[in-house]
Amino acid sequence: MIVAFDYDGTLVDSYSVIEEAFRRAIGKHYPWMPGKSSFAKLLTRVELYFERPRFGKHSGKVKQPAVFRLPLFRTWFEERAKLTRPLDDSMELLKRLKEEGHTLLSFSAEDFVSGMKEHRLKLNGFYDLFDDVIIFGREMTLEEAFALVREKYGDETFIWVDDKPWRFIGRGDENTEYVWYYFPPTARYASDEILARIPHLHVIRDLWSLFDVIERVKKV
């Protein structure tokens, strides 16, 4: 099967470290600034606001916001990557899936800094664990990214794992199985109305339960 994974909030916890990463970045670029911790908290609230369903659908192509060209934000992403930790021993999970013959895709949205998602995948040691890395939101829309998957890999069962289930709505096809990984920081936005609109939905609270999903899908 083709098994595709989102990155942040699915394979790694890069959310709990957002504020500390901002604090470190501000300290490096503006050591003279008073109230650095308060500013870091404010920036964290803004960042988390953009994780809501309204902004996270990726229905089109988004240009890099001008403010993210400031060196502060590249440093923030770098510090965030240093603090990021795998969820549920996810590296071992990917290796096990590969041993079982599945095609593994990194299937996630670009960061606000162009090229940063690929950079973080490499920095955190995940990049080479995938057969392919597909990043949408900048050069291609999510719909175009899915079409690219089908063009490359055909109509095999596509198991899509993401902590943001609103991305599933209206995407995929009859051979797509949607796996929502319940990650508390983003799960708060997953309303019943959103979940009711997703066919073939599987809910897991640890990544290793994905093997149970695969077995269920094989029996259908």
Side-chain angles (χ1 to χ4, degrees), residues 4-215:
F5 292 89
D6 177 48
Y7 188 56
D8 298 291
T10 303
L11 292 175
V12 299
D13 176 10
S14 59
Y15 286 85
S16 64
V17 302
I18 288 174
E19 185 176 329
E20 176 59 24
F22 271 128
R23 191 177 294 111
R24 292 185 181 189
I26 294 167
K28 287 184 177 181
H29 287 277
Y30 309 106
W32 46 265
M33 178 187 288
K36 288 189 283 293
S37 292
S38 296
F39 189 39
K41 288 181 183 295
L42 174 63
L43 290 174
T44 299
R45 285 198 292 270
V46 172
E47 168 64 18
L48 292 175
Y49 183 77
F50 283 101
E51 295 297 330
R52 294 168 181 265
R54 177 183 173 188
F55 301 100
K57 292 179 180 178
H58 296 279
S59 56
K61 299 176 184 177
V62 180
K63 293 182 179 180
Q64 177 179 333
V67 69
F68 278 87
R69 297 192 185 103
L70 294 173
L72 169 69
F73 289 98
R74 183 171 188 90
T75 301
W76 169 63
F77 272 117
E78 294 280 358
E79 293 298 327
R80 187 178 178 186
K82 291 176 187 176
L83 294 165
T84 291
R85 294 291 178 268
L87 287 164
D88 297 341
D89 204 10
S90 54
M91 286 187 169
E92 289 305 313
L93 174 97
L94 295 177
K95 293 173 184 176
R96 169 85 175 275
L97 286 167
K98 208 162 189 176
E99 287 171 1
E100 294 194 359
H102 300 292
T103 299
L104 302 186
L105 307 183
S106 175
F107 194 70
S108 61
E110 180 59 286
D111 293 324
F112 283 129
V113 173
S114 297
M116 183 55 70
K117 179 57 66 67
E118 181 175 314
H119 176 68
R120 290 198 295 127
L121 283 164
K122 290 177 178 177
L123 196 64
N124 291 135
F126 279 87
Y127 190 90
D128 291 333
L129 297 176
F130 293 103
D131 296 292
D132 201 351
V133 173
I134 296 175
I135 299 171
F136 52 83
R138 189 86 69 232
E139 300 298 327
M140 69 180 91
T141 66
L142 199 162
E143 286 83 0
E144 290 169 341
F146 183 81
L148 179 62
V149 171
R150 285 308 189 202
E151 180 183 327
K152 284 186 169 185
Y153 301 102
D155 293 324
E156 289 183 52
T157 300
F158 181 77
I159 296 183
W160 183 357
V161 188
D162 203 312
D163 67 302
K164 305 170 189 67
W166 45 89
R167 289 181 179 165
F168 300 150
I169 297 174
R171 275 93 181 224
D173 54 28
E174 66 277 3
N175 291 330
T176 302
E177 299 289 330
Y178 305 92
V179 180
W180 174 34
Y181 175 68
Y182 186 98
F183 182 61
T186 50
R188 71 185 73 178
Y189 306 126
S191 66
D192 290 339
E193 187 273 333
I194 287 173
L195 299 178
R197 295 172 62 187
I198 305 168
H200 305 163
L201 178 64
H202 309 266
V203 182
I204 61 174
R205 290 177 179 263
D206 70 272
L207 288 174
W208 290 86
S209 294
L210 183 60
F211 286 101
D212 296 329
V213 173
I214 290 173
E215 289 304 312

